[in-house]
Amino acid sequence: MRKRSWINLWGQHVQEHYTTYVFTVVLFIMGIIFGAIVVNSLSFNQKEDLYYYLTNFFGQVSAGNMASAHDAWKESFLQNVKYIGLMWILAMSLVGLPLILILLFLKGLVIGFTVGFLVNQMGWHGFLLAFVSVVPQNIILVPIFIMMAAVSISFSLKMIRHQFVKRTHEPIFRAMLRYTFVMLSFSIALALASSLEAYVSPLLMKEVVQWIEK
């Protein structure tokens, strides 16, 4: 019953804020496209420098000279929690809405740049490396970041209406607790995404790199 109730509540939230969710998805996709475009604007020397560091990294992956999976998980999880934590703080303020949009756009830009650069420099092999290094954790991270951004935008607008319009039916403190609970719930999913990034992606990257080097 609880699971079904949670799904129903989330479905209701999506219906009530449909335009917000559509906007966040479009903004994220725009970030990915812009990140891929940025790759083409790099100078030859910049591409060479990045490719040099990239080949060194993949060489370490192939040799197994990487940080421990536990340390990688902890670093990944803390970074992801800080990201949604920053969204949570920005939504609590009255001036944080534009920054929430920028954070989501930048997240898409990073993914687009990473995939675009690998494909630009390594072709099909780069696509395979991008797939195994970026896709596993982002299967979870991307929906979480988009949902968190949509919830943060909705809550931020509610804060603005409460401050200036004074026509909200729900007490703002109750809405704040609900918003905080959603953020904490997302943290559980972030732990799973960090596990994929720390324990699964390196193994897949090692297999692909060794296959490329043959």
Side-chain angles (χ1 to χ4, degrees), residues 153-179:
I153 291 169
S154 301
F155 181 79
S156 183
L157 292 174
K158 183 176 292 187
M159 288 281 289
I160 293 172
R161 287 195 299 267
H162 182 269
Q163 184 68 25
F164 297 105
V165 183
K166 309 290 186 181
R167 291 180 183 175
T168 54
H169 300 289
E170 183 181 17
I172 196 63
F173 182 71
R174 183 184 300 174
M176 191 180 299
L177 287 178
R178 183 179 299 176
Y179 173 58

Side-chain angles (χ1 to χ4, degrees), residues 23 29 41 66 68 82 86 93 115 127 140 143 146 148 204 214:
F23 176 74
I29 293 174
S41 67
M66 297 181 64
S68 68
K82 287 178 182 177
L86 182 56
S93 69
V115 176
F127 175 79
I140 298 174
I146 289 175
M148 189 64 197
L204 295 176
K214 289 181 181 179

